[in-house]
Amino acid sequence: MKRLLICFFLLAGVQLAHAQYYKTDTVTRKGFDPSRLVLGGSLGMVFGDVTNVDISPLVGYRFSDYIAAGVNINAQYGQYKVWSYDQIVQRDKYTIFGGGIWGRVYPLPMVFIHVQPEYNFVTQNSTVYLNNNEKQTYKTNYGVPSLLVGAGYTQNVGGRVGIGISILYDVIQDDRSPYNNSLIYRVGAGLGF
């Protein structure tokens, strides 16, 4: 149960800075319009028995008031320790590198539906500490697909500044998915350039 809770908070917890530009200029212009760029991503850090550092930028373009799309990159490092009384019995470390594309449809000006297919490469090292100060280390490398689907809400707070929340879920649910059958909550603020 403890391991399940750790994974939930580690991989599906609130990501503290999911920033994005939420409101665009509605004037129709021909060609590339820099005011419709979407810049943001997530940045999260947790330290202690459970450690996670997540830097995941995204970039995109708001094609109209109803559609936005772009690309994202995922980069995470983490580790967690399993304790038995006052001794560590197992330590797991992992790195995740990957990315994908994302798209949003805005059926209402402040409400969006989010779809994000991605592919992540995971490297995991597990060290099991045995009696007599011995240890065994296991290393695995694998790739895993994910399809994040969800919805969110944005609120303009003045000019090109906005706040937003979203809830996503990995509908593929591969057994080795970094999202581990959990909801993904994202909360943040955005600033347009």
Side-chain angles (χ1 to χ4, degrees):
M1 180 67 175
K2 181 179 177 183
R3 190 174 218 176
L4 179 63
L5 288 174
I6 289 170
C7 289
F8 175 79
F9 286 114
L10 182 67
L11 298 174
V14 174
Q15 296 181 359
L16 295 178
H18 181 73
Q20 181 172 332
Y21 172 65
Y22 292 100
K23 182 67 177 164
T24 62
D25 185 359
T26 57
V27 176
T28 303
R29 296 186 177 115
K30 292 185 179 183
F32 178 76
D33 182 358
S35 73
R36 291 188 172 268
L37 277 177
V38 176
L39 303 172
S42 63
L43 171 64
M45 294 181 203
V46 177
F47 297 100
D49 284 343
V50 176
T51 299
N52 181 266
V53 178
D54 174 13
I55 301 171
S56 301
L58 65 81
V59 64
Y61 193 76
R62 187 96 181 238
F63 296 98
S64 72
D65 288 341
Y66 304 103
I67 297 174
V71 297
N72 66 293
I73 298 171
N74 297 330
Q76 289 186 44
Y77 167 79
Q79 74 169 332
Y80 60 92
K81 301 171 189 170
V82 178
W83 291 84
S84 176
Y85 300 104
D86 62 348
Q87 293 184 352
I88 298 173
V89 294
Q90 183 172 336
R91 177 179 297 185
D92 294 335
K93 296 180 183 181
Y94 63 87
T95 57
I96 300 171
F97 292 105
I101 59 175
W102 60 270
R104 286 186 176 173
V105 174
Y106 292 80
L108 300 171
M110 295 181 288
V111 175
F112 61 85
I113 298 167
H114 185 95
V115 177
Q116 182 175 323
E118 62 183 32
Y119 195 83
N120 292 299
F121 297 95
V122 180
T123 299
Q124 185 172 2
N125 292 319
S126 295
T127 302
V128 178
Y129 298 93
L130 306 169
N131 296 332
N132 303 328
N133 294 326
E134 294 179 20
K135 62 182 178 179
Q136 292 180 342
T137 301
Y138 307 95
K139 183 175 182 177
T140 57
N141 296 308
Y142 55 89
V144 61
S146 297
L147 177 58
L148 305 179
V149 176
Y153 174 81
T154 62
Q155 178 65 51
N156 189 347
V157 293
R160 292 188 179 187
V161 178
I163 58 171
I165 61 170
S166 62
I167 299 174
L168 306 172
Y169 185 76
D170 180 7
V171 296
I172 294 178
Q173 282 307 306
D174 187 288
D175 290 338
R176 301 178 298 175
S177 170
Y179 302 109
N180 202 23
N181 199 21
S182 301
L183 291 176
I184 303 145
Y185 303 94
R186 294 184 176 160
V187 178
L191 173 64
F193 298 100

